Amino acid sequence: MSAGARGHLAMLLFSALVAGSFSLGAMVANEIAPAAINAARFAIAAAVIGAVVAATGRFDRRALAAPWRYLVLGGLFAAYFVLMFEGLKTAPPVAASAVFTLTPVMAAGVGWLLLRQVTTPRMAAALAIGAAGALWVIFRADLSALVALEVGRGEAVYFVGCVAHAVYTPMVRKLNRGEPAVLFTFGTLVAGTVVLTAYGWSDIRATDWAGLRPLVWIALLYVALFASAATFVLLQYATLRLPSAKVMAYTYLTPSWVLVWELALGHGGPRPLVLAGLGLTVAALLLLLKNEETATG
């Protein structure tokens, strides 16, 4: 299997794991401060990845060079996750995940600015189709709301977080100096833990950790182990093998995965008209994959 194919496989798994954090996050977002739950998730994820680094002997002192790199990346992802949970206090999971699908467009722009990665006409068309589908879902298939730009507060807050995510993706490639993905992930998680602990110390102290109901702990462990530790490695692994726009293209699958999660949890699905928007996001992904085949054929 080629390096590019492995990158695509990593992002397919990434989109499925990320989707769970929307459904579970929305269920507990109003029960714990965003900074508190994310400081805990980063700390747990850092411990897990640190154990992997130690067990595999992948630590290299050269990775300690320019530690500011990890603070930049950890700060960007910390901002993304805090704003995500803040947005999920009011935004429905499917709508929030649709906001997430706007990151490929932003990542393509940032990728050009930082790395001069060029977006082909076919890729630009796919990004436009995906963005149209995302907007259709975000505005709940309501043309009057779209024209009036009546977007919910939760979706607007989360959009700012997605801007941070879009900047993060090309920054990984720009700042990586050959470190293995797992080691680079560990540095990013440790830095993110430091940033979140400093930022959310008052929320962390105010949280009644012993009094949290089991669902909050389930959500915390899921986002720490699967939607943080695993996806951090998958994202950085793929980012070093695929252009930023293609990496983020897999976010187009996230709303569809969220729909599966919502149905599995018994929350029901969106209105039929909203499903049309989800269809456009999947079509955008397929078009991007076709573009990949054409480029490598």
Side-chain angles (χ1 to χ4, degrees), residues 5-171:
R6 291 196 298 272
H8 285 297
L9 184 60
M11 289 309 300
L12 182 64
L13 181 56
F14 169 90
S15 64
L17 293 177
V18 165
S21 63
F22 286 95
S23 294
L24 292 174
M27 296 170 69
V28 304
N30 289 295
E31 300 188 34
I32 183 172
I37 190 172
N38 283 294
R41 83 185 286 184
F42 269 63
I44 294 171
V48 171
I49 297 299
V52 172
V53 170
T56 57
R58 301 301 297 272
F59 182 75
D60 187 335
R61 288 187 176 277
R62 288 177 296 179
L64 298 176
W68 61 267
R69 296 177 296 155
Y70 303 111
L71 285 173
V72 170
L73 295 174
L76 285 170
F77 238 20
Y80 164 75
F81 282 121
V82 168
L83 291 171
M84 173 186 176
F85 271 76
E86 185 64 37
L88 284 172
K89 289 182 177 181
T90 56
V94 173
S97 64
V99 176
F100 187 48
T101 65
L102 294 175
T103 52
V105 176
M106 295 183 284
V110 177
W112 183 83
L113 288 172
L114 295 178
L115 304 172
R116 288 299 185 265
Q117 292 178 339
V118 178
T119 299
T120 65
R122 186 190 293 269
M123 187 183 295
L127 295 175
I129 292 172
L135 291 173
W136 189 248
V137 176
I138 293 167
F139 289 97
R140 296 156 175 84
D142 185 341
L143 285 175
S144 61
L146 177 60
V147 172
L149 295 179
E150 294 176 358
V151 64
R153 178 186 179 278
E155 288 90 335
V157 168
Y158 183 44
F159 175 79
V160 178
C162 289
V163 173
H165 196 301
V167 175
Y168 170 86
T169 305
M171 286 295 285

Side-chain angles (χ1 to χ4, degrees), residues 33 82 216 221 277:
V82 168
V216 179
L221 291 175

Side-chain angles (χ1 to χ4, degrees), residues 258-286:
V258 171
L259 178 59
V260 173
W261 273 88
E262 289 293 287
L263 293 173
L265 292 170
H267 297 164
R271 294 186 298 124
L273 280 176
V274 175
L275 292 177
L278 297 182
L280 285 176
T281 61
V282 174
L285 171 65
L286 295 176

Side-chain angles (χ1 to χ4, degrees), residues 42 45-46 49-50 53 70 73-74 77 168 172 176 179-192 228-237:
F42 269 63
I49 297 299
V53 170
Y70 303 111
L73 295 174
F77 238 20
Y168 170 86
V172 169
N176 183 274
E179 296 91 348
V182 66
L183 183 56
F184 205 59
T185 296
F186 176 63
T188 301
L189 286 169
V190 170
S228 290
T231 58
F232 266 56
V233 174
L234 290 169
L235 181 61
Q236 296 199 23
Y237 181 89

